[in-house]
Amino acid sequence: MSPTTQMRGGYRARQRTANVATYIILISVAILTLLPLVYAFFASFKPLDELLSQGAQLFPEEWTTGSYQEVWELGGFQRYFMNSILVAAGVVAVDFLIASLIGWMLARNLLVYGRALSAVMASVLFIGVGTATLYPRFLIAQALGIDNLIGIILVEVSGMSVIHTFLVRAFVQTLPPELEDAARVDGCRTFGVYRRISLPLMRPILTTTVILAFQAAWNNFQIPYVFTLAQPEMRTLVVGVYALRTGGEVTDPYHLMIAGAMVVIVPIVVVFLLLQRHFMRGMTEGGVKA
């Protein structure tokens, strides 16, 4: 056997070993990530006494949907679910419009002070508009009379639209401008080019931003919590789960909290499964060129 053949065989053996080790690590991480969710799913079908006495057991001895019924009907989750839907839909719609339009215009240098705007937006990413500015934003919303679901939507969008705009800009910079130029030659105006030509081409990255916006809005706790302290009827699902901690007659109603948490998780999983094939494509293509 020649030395070259031996080297190739050794390289392939090392490559197979590395692949096996990689798969073992990835499978282990996946199991550790999914195990709490699987446990919570089965625990949500246990009555409280069994959950407290045999909490370490994975499968329930007595299957019951009573926790879901109590959470949905008595815990007010019907209203909270609709509030979450309205907030998530509003955030996705507003963020979609802002990120797609401004990101496209920045990528094509259609704004007079585009570079200055990009610098301001970049500084916002470093400074952050999180906890430190939440109370001032709440006071502004209160002064404007929108300390309600509309205010929650606008405040949440203000915290996420910057990064989504940069993702869209990076993606649009990878697209050839010839189609847009041809549309302008045919008499299409700027907004028409955006709507008819660029928007369909931005589908992968916009699907990514939709998933990210929906996930952030659906799971957001801090902003809805601050806005609904004095108005419990406007709570979202996440805040409603937290309210179960002290809102019931039973001390620490873990069975209700777990059932409520599962109600929160399911829509996120469904949305991701429906749109996952576009998600990675949008993330990778949007990161090609900054």
Side-chain angles (χ1 to χ4, degrees), residues 106-121:
L106 288 175
R108 296 306 188 217
N109 297 317
L110 298 176
L111 295 176
V112 178
Y113 299 103
R115 292 191 176 184
L117 178 60
S118 296
V120 172
M121 294 170 66

Side-chain angles (χ1 to χ4, degrees), residues 78-278:
Q78 289 179 325
R79 186 177 185 88
Y80 301 160
F81 185 82
M82 289 306 303
N83 290 342
S84 291
I85 290 290
L86 291 173
V87 169
V91 168
V92 167
V94 176
D95 179 73
F96 180 93
L97 180 61
I98 292 175
S100 64
L101 185 56
I102 296 182
W104 174 71
M105 297 183 76
L106 288 175
R108 296 306 188 217
N109 297 317
L110 298 176
L111 295 176
V112 178
Y113 299 103
R115 292 191 176 184
L117 178 60
S118 296
V120 172
M121 294 170 66
S123 66
V124 170
L125 289 179
F126 286 101
I127 298 173
V129 289
T131 305
T133 61
L134 177 56
Y135 185 62
R137 285 183 287 167
F138 171 71
L139 291 181
I140 293 173
Q142 205 171 38
L144 296 175
I146 54 172
D147 51 335
N148 46 35
L149 295 181
I150 296 177
I152 294 175
I153 292 171
L154 295 179
V155 171
E156 290 191 11
V157 168
S158 69
M160 71 177 68
S161 60
V162 173
I163 184 64
H164 293 173
T165 299
F166 279 123
L167 285 174
V168 172
R169 186 190 70 166
F171 183 87
V172 173
Q173 287 175 336
T174 67
L175 299 176
E178 284 78 13
L179 287 176
E180 299 173 13
D181 295 337
R184 291 190 180 92
V185 171
D186 290 338
C188 199
R189 295 182 180 274
T190 300
F191 187 75
V193 173
Y194 159 78
R195 185 170 63 88
R196 294 186 175 90
I197 306 299
S198 300
L199 200 58
L201 296 176
M202 291 189 287
R203 181 180 300 175
I205 191 62
L206 292 179
T207 303
T208 300
T209 60
V210 164
I211 295 175
L212 294 175
F214 182 84
Q215 182 266 341
W218 190 267
N219 290 338
N220 197 300
F221 170 78
Q222 196 174 49
I223 295 173
Y225 179 70
V226 170
F227 272 73
T228 61
L229 279 173
Q231 304 176 78
E233 70 279 359
M234 290 198 311
R235 287 172 178 161
T236 57
L237 280 176
V238 177
V239 180
V241 172
Y242 178 79
L244 290 173
R245 186 172 61 93
T246 56
E249 298 178 359
V250 181
T251 303
D252 296 331
Y254 297 112
H255 61 310
L256 300 183
M257 295 173 66
I258 293 176
M262 295 309 300
V263 173
V264 174
I265 291 171
V266 168
I268 289 291
V269 175
V270 171
V271 169
F272 180 76
L273 291 177
L274 291 175
L275 302 177
Q276 63 175 327
R277 69 188 183 94
H278 299 286

